[in-house]
Amino acid sequence: MRGLTRDLVATAAFAVLLVFLPSVLREVFGRASVSYLSLATNALVLAVLALSWDMLARTGQLSLAHAAFTGAGAYTVAVLFKLTGAPLWLGIPLGGLVAAVLALGLGSVTLRLFGIYFAIATLAFTEVLKAAVQRLPTAVAGGAAGINVPALFRPTFVAGSMERWEVAFLRNQGYFWVYAGLLVVAVVISVLIQRSRLRAAFTAVRTNEQVAGVMGVNPARMKLLAFVLSSFVAGLLGAVEAHRLGSVSPDGAFSVHTTVLALVTPIFGGLYTTLGPILGATVLAGIEETLKRTFSEGYLIGYGIVLVASILFMPRGLVGLASKLVKRGGASTSGRVGGASGGAADAAAEERA
Amino acid sequence: MSSVLRATGLSKSFGGLVAVKDVSFEAAPGEIFAIIGPNGAGKTTLLNLISGLLTPTTGRLELLGTDVTAMPTYRRCRLGLGRAFQVVQPFPEMTVAENVLVGAQFGSEGVSSSEARRRADQALERTGLDRLRDQPVEDLNLLQEKRLEIARALATQPKVLLLDEVMAGLRPGEARQAVELVRGVRDEGITVVFIEHVMPVVRDLADRVLVMDHGAELARGTYAEVTSDPRVVEAYLGVEDDDSRAGEESADARSVREAPGDDAGATAGRDA
Ligand SMILES: Nc1ncnc2c1ncn2[C@@H]1O[C@H](COP(=O)(O)OP(=O)(O)OP(=O)(O)O)[C@@H](O)[C@H]1O
Ligand SMILES: [Mg+2]
């Protein structure tokens, strides 16, 4: 329990940091803070997506359905406000719930599928959901053209008392805080998993489902739990995205791009950890922005090269690399000789990170 | 309750191959029940049917008076069935203690985390693994891995313990330790059902022996009874025309014949 308390305190400190980050950027960068803030926002979005995917992967379920769950969250919000005059902040939790319910359905069907078969089934689910949304009556789901979604923040320009860029800043700041809230929710869920007996159960199910069962772990229950938690977070994220973008369309909401980012980011940062997906998201968002500015067109090629290289040269992601460096540093200062006991102890230490 | 484990007419076919054929047996509380037989006789398949990794083609299985024929593995475990595997399969990313803790945490309903830790510590201690508790499982040798299999099963607090060739590949001294461990487990009232090729171990431990051949029961009785049964000797010798296994099998057959009164026979181990 002491570990849990420590993690929650760290999370709270992180949350406070996020609350003040926009003001700090504004003080330091002035007008330029608008783009720094949107970069930070991109990193947050990516971190939530990656952490959500990682939770599911901890049970061995390598999903290609993350776009389905963010898309479900987005469409829940869009349809809700198209059809009803519901309160503005109701759509987000509802988006999470709808995604969680869908995950329960998909998860029960895919329980007996492993590896590539599971991945293909989840990819197919995304396509089916997208096709279903396209075929719904236009009056409900907007068809191929999509639906407009009300914004969460509409700062107004007050001539004389503020500058033009400050409107954009205030708007971005609002969304930044909402995403920061989502990340805190995701981190708390992740930490609760890692600091309870669920961590061992998830790992057991991932590494040997049959033996896990023989030792009393209910694999179906663990896989469904992970699916529901992961998709709830993804649904919340999709819902907020719908508000921020101002509209949803089948192609945008169910984009393969989302699915790819969801799995690439935790692999880059370090799988099966809380820190890995967040680190991965921060670094990747930074790299993407830099490449975009340097190369504009074709920056994706550079992005691809970075990813392939990182997977080749840091198989355990940024977190793995960091713990290796820390270990090497520790060994040289304390004179400790690195024994053969490397692998699993490392992995265990990282997993608690 | 007269039997803690009762199999009635259990059969399992894989396509055309009948791996287990109409096997029935009962194990009484506190009994040590051995299952022996040549390679491929269907012993491991029978344990898979008992622990729920396979569903029987026909037949019925009762555990502690409950029909568990269609019960999933994890519920059988929580009811009181522990299992150590022939091919050791520790969870690779965990330490020794973490492996055992899984069994302690999930092997029974409603265990507090402190109680689970206590049970895991106890299982580690009994199997002599307490000093290796923080080792990653990659660092264990075969003996230690076999002990870990038993420790994980014990941590689930079983009433019936299934052991699949836990002595295979052990040196005589190590095998003797393992025999003592199994005796200790039985003395607590846990029923032990074990598969073993090392005949002196069977002789020393088993209250009763079930001999399987080609999936079916060949003989059943005390160690002395089954080893003097001509059909059993025949089964162990008769596979010599089976070219691929002839060498191994005749070694087994020798140990069947020589075992009574042969204390040095504990060396007759096989690799898993
Ligand atoms: N999953 C499976 N699919 C197909 N055939 C199987 C399967 N499992 C076991 N068999 C076959 O069933 C027969 C019995 O195998 P089993 O592993 O139960 O033998 P065993 O008595 O445990 O042998 P050993 O002493 O070598 O461990 C063998 O012919 C084996 O090839
Ligand atoms: Mg076997």
Side-chain angles (χ1 to χ4, degrees), chain A residues 124-135 250-256:
Chain A
F125 175 77
T126 313
E127 292 306 311
V128 168
L129 200 59
K130 179 175 158 182
V133 166
Q134 280 168 331
R135 274 162 189 72
D251 285 327
F254 298 100
S255 159
V256 182

Side-chain angles (χ1 to χ4, degrees), chain B residues 14 17 19 37-46 54 86 165 197 270:
Chain B
F14 298 110
L17 175 85
N39 292 104
K43 306 179 295 295
T44 298
T45 305
L46 179 59
L54 293 172
Q86 176 178 5
E165 296 201 29
H197 278 278
R270 293 180 334 137

